Amino acid sequence: MPKTIKELSEEIGVSKQAINRFLTSDFRRQHVTTKTDNKVGALLIDKSGEALIKKRFSTNRNNYNLFQKKVS
């Protein structure tokens, strides 16, 4: 089932803004649909898009953790 940016941000622990910055026009065209309820829109990201976002931000988190270990 598609997830919103808010759901993904809470699940992987990054800000909604960080995910929005990752959404290029090509990514949006391939993986994003818009849902509107009561005149309020939400972006829904499909499973393959979700996997790409998780991969992108897990790589950053791993790099950050490695940097922290080197500094300590």
Side-chain angles (χ1 to χ4, degrees):
M1 177 167 193
K3 292 184 180 178
T4 65
I5 291 173
K6 180 180 179 182
E7 291 169 333
L8 279 173
S9 71
E10 290 172 354
E11 185 177 322
I12 61 178
V14 298
S15 69
K16 294 185 297 185
Q17 292 83 1
I19 293 175
N20 270 312
R21 281 189 231 117
F22 180 74
L23 303 182
T24 64
S25 58
D26 286 337
F27 185 94
R28 288 175 187 260
R29 189 172 29 260
Q30 294 175 19
H31 302 289
V32 177
T33 57
T34 303
K35 177 182 94 171
T36 305
D37 286 334
N38 298 326
K39 298 183 182 180
V40 176
L43 299 178
L44 297 174
I45 300 169
D46 66 17
K47 285 288 188 190
S48 57
E50 178 184 340
L52 290 170
I53 290 170
K54 285 181 177 179
K55 181 178 178 182
R56 165 70 166 89
F57 288 102
S58 70
T59 301
N60 277 355
R61 191 175 300 121
N62 289 340
N63 288 342
Y64 176 77
N65 289 339
L66 287 174
F67 176 76
Q68 289 296 84
K69 287 179 185 176
K70 288 179 183 177
V71 173
S72 299

